[in-house]
Structures are given as C-alpha cells and as structure tokens.
Amino acid sequence: MAEKSAGKRVLPQKRSRAESEKDRPPGLNENEKSIYMLIKSREGMGISQPDIRSAISLDIRTLNKVLDSLQTKQFIKMVNSARNKRAKIYMDFHCQPSSELSGGHWFTDGHFDEALVGAVRHSCLTLIKTLGVVTVDDLISSINKRNIVVGGVTRAQIDDILQSLKVDGVVDELRSSGIGDFSRVPVGKVCYKIVADKKQPLVGAMASIPCGVCPRITECTPDGIISPDTCVYYQNWLGF
Amino acid sequence: MVSQHGLKLAARLITSHFGDLVGKVCECLLRRGTLSLLEIIRFTELSSSQVKNSILVLIQHSCVQAFSIPRPVASGAEIRTVTQYMALFDNILHRLRFSKFLSIVQTDLGLQCRNLLEGLLQHGRLTFEQLAEREVSKKQFEGSTSSQDSLRVEFDRLVHARYVERCPKPEPFVSPPVEDKLTSARKRGANLVNIGTDEVLESKTSDRISDVPGGHKRKHEALEIDKETEAVIVESGVLWRVNFEKFVQCLKKKACVANARLRLGLDAGIILEAMIESNTTQGNKNSVQSSLENIIEAVRGKPGGISMTLEHVRVILEKLGSSLSSEESGVLYEIDLKAIIRICQTDEVEALVLKKYGEVAYRIFRFLAKQAVVQETDHISDVTLIEKKITQGILVKLWKDDYLEMKKAIAQGSGQTQHFLWSVNWDELWEHILDDMYHAALNLSQKISHILEQEQEALQDKAKRQRLQKGRLTLEFSLLKLDDALMLFHDF
Ligand code: SF4
C-alpha cells in the first residue's frame, strides 16, 4: 500500500470512501475513529501526542480521554522511543515498533547493546587485519560462518561498524584496483583496509606526567596545601 | 599575552638561576610590563643598587631589553629621554633548553664549538677575548691546551652557522610613535607583558632605531666569513650572544622530522630532513621549498638515503602533504611545516584526552577534532556507535574542562526540542593546554628543587640519596620532554 511506504508522514493519507468504510473499526465514536485511523496510518513508526494534536485539533482533555479509551479497548498501545525516552508514542495495537523507534539494530530489549557492538567491531577488525582487504559481503559471511553473533549479523550492522571504524581513522574505504592486495576483490568494488599509517596513540609529554592528568591541578600552588612538595601523585609515581 | 602560569614559570627560572633579588626584579617586569628604573625600585621596594645590579645581570643574559624613549616629565611640557626595561619572556624560557642547544651544536660542529657555546650560555654576552680566555684557562685546568687561533676558527664556525650573533646596541632609541604604542600597551593592563624577544622590538623599530651596530643581524644570508668578519670577531669590545632564533628553527625542524618518522616511517624522516636542508625559501619560516633534484641530492648524502629511488621519494613527498609549484627555476616541491606542527599539537592533545578521560572520550574527541562544523549529540552517538547517554556524559565532561565548545539550538516543530551542538574551539583549547603545560613545568621544576634539597639532607644515607637521584633524573627528563611540547604550542 502507498501509505505503508510513507509511514513517517504525520498527516493521514486520503483514502477512498469504500476503503475507509471497510477499515473503520466498529464500536468507536467519531473522535476515536479519526484518531485511531491516524495512528494506524503511521504503522510501526507510531505518533506522539503533540503530533496527533497538530493533525487533528482537539482539546487536550478530550484527546487524552480518547487515547485512554483506545488503549483500554486494545485498539492502540503506547511504546517508548529509544531515542527520546520521555516521548510517548502511540501505535496500532498489532504493529511492531520500527527499528528507528526501537533504537535500531543495536538495541536489545530497548537498550543499546554495547557488548554486541564491541563483539562485532572486534570481529570486523580482526578479519580486516587477517584478510588485508575485505568487502562488506566478506565480513558478513565470515562472521556468520563463525557464528560469532547469535542470529547472525546484518548488512546494516556491518555498515555501522565500518562507518565508526572510518570515523576513528582505523580503516580506509577504497575501490578495488584488482591488483596486488586487491586481487581477490573485483575491480571497482568498495572494500576496506586498515589505515596504512595508523600508529599507536602517541605517549604525549603531558599525558606521561602526574600533573598532566591531575584532577587537582587548579588547586595546586607552590606554597598551598596541595603543592608539588607534598604531592602524593608524585610520591607514588616516583616510588618514594 | 602570556598566561599566569607562564609568568610564574619564567620568574621561577630566573630565581633559581640568579637568586631571589634578580628573580623579584624580573617578576616585577614580567607582571607589570615595561618599566623605568625608578618604577622598578618603587614596585619592588628594593634599593637602587640592588635593582641596578639585578637589571645588569638580566641584560647580560638577554632576559631583559633596555631601550630609550622620549617621555614627557611631570608638567607635560618638557620631554626627556627615559630608559625603559622590558622582560623578554621567550628568552627567559629558553633557559630551560640550554642542554638541547648544546647537543645541537655538538652534533653539528663538534665538541670545541659546544664548549664555546657553553661559555656564552653560562655568562651571557661576552667578547671573543673573554670567551677565549675562559676556554684557555679551563683547558689549562684540565691539563690540555688550546690556542687563541684555533678557538677563533671554531668561533668563526659558530658565527657562520648563525648559532652565535653579534649583540645589538644595548640601549636602542625608540622614537615617539613607538612610545605611544608602548605606553598605551602599558595602560591596557598591568599584566600585559611584551613577550616579544628583542628581535620583535628590533624588527618593529628597525627603521627607527638609529645606529645599531648589530644591524646586520637580520641579514644573515649576507654574512660571509671573510677577513672583515674575522677582524670583527677579534675586535675588542664587540659583544656576542647566542642566537636563540636559530636554535628554535633547529628544534622546529627536529620536531617535524621526528613526527614524519613516527607517522610515515624512517624514509619519510630522511626525506623531510633533506628537504629542509635544501630549502630555498628565505622569508617564510613556516614552509620549505626545494626542487626534486636538490632533495634527491640531499637524500643521497644521508645514511639510508642512497638506496631510495626517485619514485619512492616522490611518493613520500606526496604523503608528507607537499604541493607542487612552477617557478622560473623549475618545478618546486613545497611542504607546510606549520601543518606538521599542527599534527604534533593535535597528537599531544589527543594523547592527553586518552590518558585523562579514556578510550571512548578519545574516540569522540578525535571525531570532533576532524569536523569543520558543529555536530549534534545524536549524530556523534550514531557515527561513533557509542551509546547516547555515555556520549552525552563524555561531551559534557570535556566541555566542562574546556576541551569542547557547546551551543544550544531550539528546533521548532510540533513542540520545541533542544539540540546540543559540539565542536572543538582550537584557539581556546591551545591557550588552555599551554597554560596547563606551564603549570606542569612549574610544578616539575619545583619538585626537582625540592628533591635536590632532600638529597642534601640525605648525604649520610646512601640508599635514600640514590633513590632521590633516580627520581630527580626522571623528573628532569620529563621536564625536557614537556618543554618540547611547550615549544610546539608557543615557539613554532
Ligand atoms: S603537583 Fe601533584 S597535585 Fe599538583 S598538579 Fe601536579 S600532580 Fe597534581
């Protein structure tokens, strides 16, 4: 249906009379019907209360009453948005929250799954280091073949990980030239490689002395209570 | 403007090298800006002779510059020439790096030149006679000999390589327009210090200062060791001093080469060094330019350079971020040294963020450091794949500690939503990091003095003394390293 692909729209789509009649659920008054139809049209994306109000002008008390009644009658349900914990989203009772609403493919039970991100990131890095040059397909098949992630990884997950590795300056995105390191990847295909000059983080001058990372530096003065002469961080550092 | 901890560090260096009185006078000048003798006496509450002697010591060691300016006396009608004194912050801080200067000269020109330079570093301005006398008596004491002639040859080399330069006139005269600038600078605030070295003073006023015997100082390229120069060297009464600017250039070059080596490998270090040595640009100290032929020639003269192919050199020049320009003399490669210094600075800050705030903060900071425009919290969380709450917490922490800048934006939609936008404000961050570095250097040098005192007290306890000595060496090494980082942010 056309409406399904336009799930993000706030306003309901015009429907033909026959279709509208057919979809109209029994046992609902006019307000309940129009609000239910609006919520239903948003499918897995759902809609927030302020958005309903801007689409259908109703005073807040009536609106809340209608929403409560629809929930009681199990026409709609309220879900939380992973992005905005305070926002209450209403959705058709039988719909599943979209991945955008549930937080995406890194959310498990509404929580960001750090361990999952860490495991996939680590696997990708190890594979890129081992294979030299890899494509997204290589990564998906290798990770899934090894059963590293329960239920397997998706392309979207691998894309996310590669994006974060690029942002961190750890991997480069290149197009295969088909020769040398790239010989196993078809010419022109996008592939990934560890950044050539990726160095270990430098041991900075400030980072290697106690004062550089000292939480008390602003209170430390030559003759103060906290001073280099009495500093415990230095005592420990120098092993005195 | 120099930060508070920078001033404290400079004052501390002078106190520990020349004692409390000289330290007090220097601190007064550092904090209050340019002053006359009477003003120094009034502010420090020291006797006239104490102040005079302190000033002489400071001038002798190029830590203070004297100059004359015409100033109206009380009634405003009569104009008199008054001598003013100005602390040279940069020169004072160079006292931290004397051991580096000595090692540069020893590597470049050998031990004898190093010893001559040591004389100048220890005693400040000297005539060649004084320097030679000192060297001869030192040699006699050590049981060896050294002739005036051989010393002069070594001294020639120091002058020729610009490690040593002739002192300018001790008290240049600055005509009224400059006086206006100076007095208005003083009015702007007591803490405002003229941090420029005397080179700044000289260059700003080069056409106003009359009769400066050391006026050829800025024309080093024209300096040729001919008979005339030799005659000047031995001429009695001509004072010589260490050319700090040259050493700063050498250290800058070293820092860039070390960074290239670390980032792109040994060959990159060799090629950059060769390029700097064959540099043909004179004016711009922030970039080097040379033809491929000259670079290759210089590369071949270096250990490990003989086997490098033309193509290899070309590829590395590209990796070093060089640009090509077409000049009358042919195609030239140009490398922006400032850009390499910028990488060094960023590395230093990133290392600090990693150590102080951990791996996740390091990733977020690195991401923001690369962005040209502000970034929204959700977006940062999405692209780094770091949970939103954690991202938010880290961003706020870095913002509170002045590593990041934050802006709020309100989006008007069905309701109002507030967005937080983050970025790195490099200028402010540099200032803040530099002040922390001065503070850390101040603490390190105080700790070193403290341990030295403890060593004196532990003369009888050999084990304790050795432990203290070991600790002191660690601190001294850390201070030298920290000073390298300080130069990245202040001198290069
Ligand atoms: S001396 Fe000690 S207390 Fe003071 S800033 Fe350094 S580490 Fe912190």
Side-chain angles (χ1 to χ4, degrees):
Chain A
M1 256 199 304
E3 289 92 325
K4 286 200 177 177
S5 58
K8 280 187 189 178
R9 291 201 191 167
V10 173
L11 291 170
Q13 300 299 295
K14 279 194 175 174
R15 293 161 171 233
S16 71
R17 198 181 155 81
E19 190 186 356
S20 195
E21 289 293 326
K22 191 178 72 194
D23 285 357
R24 186 174 291 174
L28 298 183
N29 64 32
E30 264 316 299
N31 279 343
E32 286 174 341
K33 275 176 202 161
S34 56
I35 289 172
Y36 172 64
M37 294 313 284
L38 169 63
I39 294 173
K40 193 169 184 243
S41 74
R42 297 296 307 260
E43 301 179 337
M45 280 300 293
I47 184 166
S48 67
Q49 193 226 48
D51 283 345
I52 300 173
R53 277 193 76 198
S54 62
I56 297 170
S57 60
L58 263 185
D59 66 279
I60 193 143
R61 273 188 59 199
T62 319
L63 176 60
N64 283 340
K65 252 168 111 178
V66 170
L67 288 171
D68 284 346
S69 149
L70 285 171
Q71 279 185 85
T72 318
K73 292 175 185 165
Q74 294 202 333
F75 276 92
I76 62 165
K77 62 184 173 187
M78 194 175 71
V79 292
N80 286 323
S81 158
R83 287 223 167 277
N84 184 357
K85 291 267 189 290
R86 277 180 301 179
K88 290 188 173 66
I89 306 291
Y90 297 94
M91 149 181 323
D92 186 283
F93 192 80
H94 301 291
C95 265
Q96 284 305 312
S98 67
S99 69
E100 261 176 79
L101 201 62
S102 67
H105 29 262
W106 299 108
F107 279 72
T108 309
D109 302 330
H111 295 286
F112 184 79
D113 195 339
E114 263 184 276
L116 177 64
V117 174
V120 181
R121 187 180 157 99
H122 179 76
S123 307
C124 286
L125 262 179
T126 315
L127 283 165
I128 302 173
K129 278 181 194 156
T130 320
L131 300 173
V133 174
V134 298
T135 62
V136 176
D137 294 331
D138 292 338
L139 290 172
I140 297 172
S141 65
S142 299
I143 291 176
N144 287 346
K145 214 182 328 171
R146 289 174 172 85
N147 268 335
I148 292 168
V149 178
V150 183
V153 285
T154 62
R155 179 172 290 272
Q157 282 176 319
I158 296 294
D159 282 345
D160 277 0
I161 294 287
L162 287 169
Q163 146 108 320
S164 82
L165 290 173
K166 271 196 299 174
V167 163
D168 289 347
V170 182
V171 300
D172 267 340
E173 186 182 88
L174 309 148
R175 278 195 186 273
S176 170
S177 59
I179 48 170
D181 287 351
F182 300 93
S183 54
R184 39 177 293 280
V185 181
V187 180
K189 191 158 182 165
V190 174
C191 50
Y192 299 86
K193 194 178 170 192
I194 295 286
V195 171
D197 63 344
K198 176 67 192 152
K199 56 182 197 290
Q200 287 300 309
L202 177 115
V203 187
M206 274 292 266
S208 49
I209 54 169
C211 297
V213 290
C214 178
R216 317 296 293 268
I217 190 162
T218 47
E219 300 149 60
C220 182
T221 53
D223 313 307
I225 300 170
I226 300 175
S227 101
D229 290 355
T230 55
C231 172
V232 283
Y233 300 112
Y234 270 108
Q235 297 295 106
N236 294 340
W237 191 56
L238 297 172
F240 285 174
Chain B
M1 200 162 84
V2 179
S3 74
Q4 280 309 303
H5 288 106
L7 297 183
K8 282 186 190 161
L9 174 65
R12 187 184 163 80
L13 282 173
I14 295 298
T15 307
S16 63
H17 289 185
F18 303 113
D20 291 342
L21 285 183
V22 184
K24 194 169 182 186
V25 170
C26 188
E27 186 164 4
C28 172
L29 283 171
L30 281 163
R31 291 198 178 279
R32 295 179 182 272
T34 321
L35 296 175
S36 69
L37 186 67
L38 282 176
E39 287 167 328
I40 303 172
I41 293 170
R42 199 169 72 233
F43 290 131
T44 56
E45 296 176 350
L46 294 174
S47 73
S48 156
S49 65
Q50 281 173 324
V51 172
K52 270 186 198 160
N53 286 337
S54 301
I55 290 280
L56 283 176
V57 171
L58 289 166
I59 291 177
Q60 171 68 15
H61 288 273
S62 304
C63 296
V64 158
Q65 170 74 44
F67 58 94
S68 317
I69 50 165
R71 259 173 110 183
V73 285
S75 62
E78 198 188 336
I79 304 259
R80 267 200 220 145
T81 302
V82 186
T83 303
Q84 296 282 109
Y85 299 95
M86 178 173 79
L88 303 173
F89 176 80
D90 288 5
N91 286 8
I92 297 172
L93 242 60
H94 287 326
R95 302 190 70 78
L96 267 177
R97 20 199 107 115
F98 282 179
S99 59
K100 292 177 194 167
F101 298 170
L102 289 170
S103 115
I104 288 173
V105 167
Q106 181 159 352
T107 314
D108 191 13
L109 303 177
L111 189 63
Q112 188 66 265
C113 284
R114 178 208 177 273
N115 292 342
L116 282 170
L117 184 83
E118 193 178 30
L120 280 178
L121 288 172
Q122 275 175 4
H123 300 281
R125 303 165 180 221
L126 291 180
T127 63
F128 171 70
E129 281 164 340
Q130 290 168 322
L131 199 58
E133 242 171 60
R134 174 191 174 274
E135 210 41 41
V136 168
S137 62
K138 211 174 104 194
K139 283 274 150 77
Q140 275 169 357
F141 182 73
E142 287 166 3
S144 57
T145 53
S146 181
S147 73
Q148 273 250 1
D149 280 350
S150 71
L151 286 175
R152 207 196 61 237
V153 171
E154 298 298 331
F155 194 74
D156 279 356
R157 294 173 68 210
L158 276 172
V159 176
H160 185 58
R162 295 177 43 221
Y163 291 122
V164 164
E165 65 182 3
R166 200 177 164 176
C167 291
K169 188 181 178 184
E171 206 176 298
F173 177 78
V174 182
S175 58
V178 176
E179 176 223 24
D180 289 343
K181 272 189 207 164
L182 290 166
T183 44
S184 61
R186 283 182 54 204
K187 277 180 208 150
R188 273 201 299 274
N191 285 338
L192 228 169
V193 175
N194 286 301
I195 57 158
T197 61
D198 37 359
E199 286 125 35
V200 173
L201 181 80
E202 281 155 25
S203 59
K204 268 190 198 158
T205 58
S206 57
D207 43 2
R208 299 183 190 282
I209 299 170
S210 54
D211 187 28
V212 181
H216 67 283
K217 175 174 165 280
R218 297 288 134 233
K219 299 172 199 152
H220 297 291
E221 55 279 11
L223 185 68
E224 281 176 4
I225 298 297
D226 51 15
K227 289 274 170 268
E228 212 176 298
T229 320
E230 282 184 27
V232 172
I233 289 174
V234 289
E235 191 185 307
S236 64
V238 174
L239 284 168
W240 298 90
R241 68 176 183 183
V242 174
N243 180 8
F244 291 134
E245 193 194 342
K246 166 76 182 177
F247 284 104
V248 170
Q249 282 302 313
C250 289
L251 290 169
K252 181 174 178 177
K253 172 185 128 181
K254 268 182 92 170
C256 289
V257 170
N259 178 275
R261 201 184 301 127
L262 190 77
R263 221 162 21 102
L264 305 166
L266 276 178
D267 289 358
I270 294 172
I271 292 168
L272 181 62
E273 195 170 24
M275 176 141 184
I276 295 172
E277 279 164 17
S278 60
N279 176 32
T280 49
T281 45
Q282 293 299 335
N284 188 356
K285 289 173 191 145
N286 286 328
S287 71
V288 282
Q289 209 177 45
S290 188
S291 67
L292 190 59
E293 298 75 51
N294 288 344
I295 299 169
I296 295 279
E297 202 185 313
V299 165
R300 298 266 151 86
K302 295 192 171 293
I306 197 82
S307 56
M308 283 191 222
T309 63
L310 194 79
E311 193 46 38
H312 182 59
V313 173
R314 224 184 250 147
V315 169
I316 290 198
L317 281 169
E318 210 170 287
K319 281 190 180 169
L320 282 165
S322 65
S323 57
L324 282 170
S325 64
S326 191
E327 304 282 320
E328 268 175 35
S329 50
V331 176
L332 295 176
Y333 278 87
E334 184 166 349
I335 290 182
D336 182 7
L337 294 184
K338 202 82 189 154
I340 300 180
I341 294 298
R342 178 79 185 211
I343 296 173
C344 301
Q345 292 171 329
T346 313
D347 282 352
E348 179 66 33
V349 180
E350 285 177 357
L352 190 56
V353 172
L354 177 64
K355 186 75 191 277
K356 206 169 174 177
Y357 304 96
E359 165 97 33
V360 179
Y362 170 73
R363 286 179 53 208
I364 292 179
F365 183 81
R366 267 171 65 93
F367 167 68
L368 284 172
K370 281 186 229 140
Q371 308 307 313
V373 290
V374 290
Q375 302 290 321
E376 207 260 329
T377 314
D378 280 354
H379 179 65
I380 299 169
S381 165
D382 286 348
V383 294
T384 53
L385 273 189
I386 297 165
E387 206 259 327
K388 193 180 156 189
K389 266 229 164 77
I390 297 177
T391 307
Q392 222 164 22
I394 286 171
L395 289 167
V396 170
K397 207 171 193 181
L398 289 173
W399 167 69
K400 276 190 182 157
D401 287 355
D402 294 331
Y403 282 81
L404 296 181
E405 200 172 63
M406 185 256 286
K407 285 191 183 105
K408 282 183 200 166
I410 310 279
Q412 304 278 2
S414 48
Q416 277 195 349
T417 33
Q418 204 172 39
H419 294 274
F420 292 93
L421 307 170
W422 308 88
S423 62
V424 179
N425 182 338
W426 290 108
D427 291 342
E428 273 177 29
L429 182 58
W430 284 171
E431 247 177 60
H432 152 71
I433 294 278
L434 187 60
D435 188 51
D436 275 358
M437 282 184 176
Y438 285 136
H439 195 166
L442 179 73
N443 288 352
L444 275 172
S445 76
Q446 183 176 338
K447 193 75 197 167
I448 291 169
S449 312
H450 181 64
I451 293 183
L452 269 170
E453 280 167 26
Q454 288 179 313
E455 278 178 43
Q456 292 302 316
E457 287 161 15
L459 281 177
Q460 308 304 324
D461 185 345
K462 197 174 167 209
K464 186 176 178 191
R465 211 177 62 238
Q466 279 177 346
R467 209 174 56 242
L468 288 167
Q469 270 169 355
K470 207 173 139 221
R472 179 165 53 83
L473 285 178
T474 308
L475 294 176
E476 282 168 353
F477 175 73
S478 300
L479 185 55
L480 282 178
K481 246 188 99 191
L482 180 60
D483 176 55
D484 286 343
L486 262 175
M487 291 192 86
L488 282 178
F489 289 85
H490 180 71
D491 299 84
F492 297 160

